Amino acid sequence: MRKLPFLLKPLFAAIFLHITLILISVITELIYSSFINPGKDAAFYRSHAEKTGPWISGIFGSILVFLIVRWFIKRSKSRFLAFAVFFPVVYFVTDIIILSFFPVKWNEVMPVILLSNGVKFIASLLSYYIYNRNENSRINIIQWNNERVVHSNFP
């Protein structure tokens, strides 16, 4: 089986994130229209979805970005920082491309998009910082034990 080229990994992760956030938005709107505020017309729920969509993207998106970068660091052998930087950037670009197909008031939407994607970028770098350090520590312990060098700070 051939390995996937590195540059496609952030793209596929961004597409996966878009699909997941759309599903979360649909489920949220389904719960809202069925249990919280039932009996309204479609325009009301469409308006509600437009208001809650950026919040869902910002909150759940940053959590998912954190977890996807963590997953990449645990599964891959290298290029952790490149993935942690490229993944949110590719997500941002795909977000703009997707929104360009719809009638969007860019002057109203852009601050929300920048804030939401800024939080995702911070979540990505935070995940890199936390889990890359742990992975490097674990690798260093293994390397030191293989070289018969034992450091007193490590168990």
Side-chain angles (χ1 to χ4, degrees), residues 27-153:
I27 291 168
T28 303
E29 199 58 36
L30 180 67
I31 291 170
Y32 180 75
S33 65
S34 298
F35 301 112
I36 298 173
N37 198 356
K40 305 290 182 181
D41 62 342
F44 176 81
Y45 295 121
R46 189 177 313 113
S47 172
H48 181 263
E50 289 173 2
K51 292 175 187 170
T52 59
W55 289 98
I56 290 169
S57 176
I59 295 168
F60 290 104
S62 59
I63 293 168
L64 289 171
V65 164
F66 183 89
L67 294 174
I68 290 169
V69 171
R70 174 183 174 261
W71 176 82
F72 180 82
I73 289 173
K74 297 228 178 248
R75 300 258 323 198
S76 298
K77 306 243 185 280
S78 64
R79 295 189 175 181
F80 304 145
L81 181 59
F83 184 82
V85 171
F86 286 139
F87 171 46
V89 170
V90 169
Y91 177 84
F92 175 74
V93 170
T94 56
D95 206 16
I96 297 297
I97 291 170
I98 291 169
L99 286 175
S100 68
F101 290 107
F102 298 98
V104 174
K105 297 177 184 171
W106 289 103
N107 57 347
E108 294 175 7
V109 173
M110 193 51 77
V112 176
I113 291 173
L114 291 175
L115 180 64
S116 175
N117 284 294
V119 172
K120 289 179 185 84
F121 191 75
I122 291 169
S124 180
L125 292 180
L126 181 65
S127 183
Y128 165 78
Y129 175 74
I130 291 171
Y131 292 104
N132 184 45
R133 184 175 58 187
N134 291 341
E135 288 298 311
N136 283 339
S137 298
R138 188 173 58 115
I139 291 169
N140 288 339
I141 293 169
I142 293 169
Q143 288 173 347
W144 288 339
N145 287 336
N146 287 344
E147 294 174 2
R148 305 282 187 228
V149 176
V150 178
H151 197 277
S152 62
N153 292 338

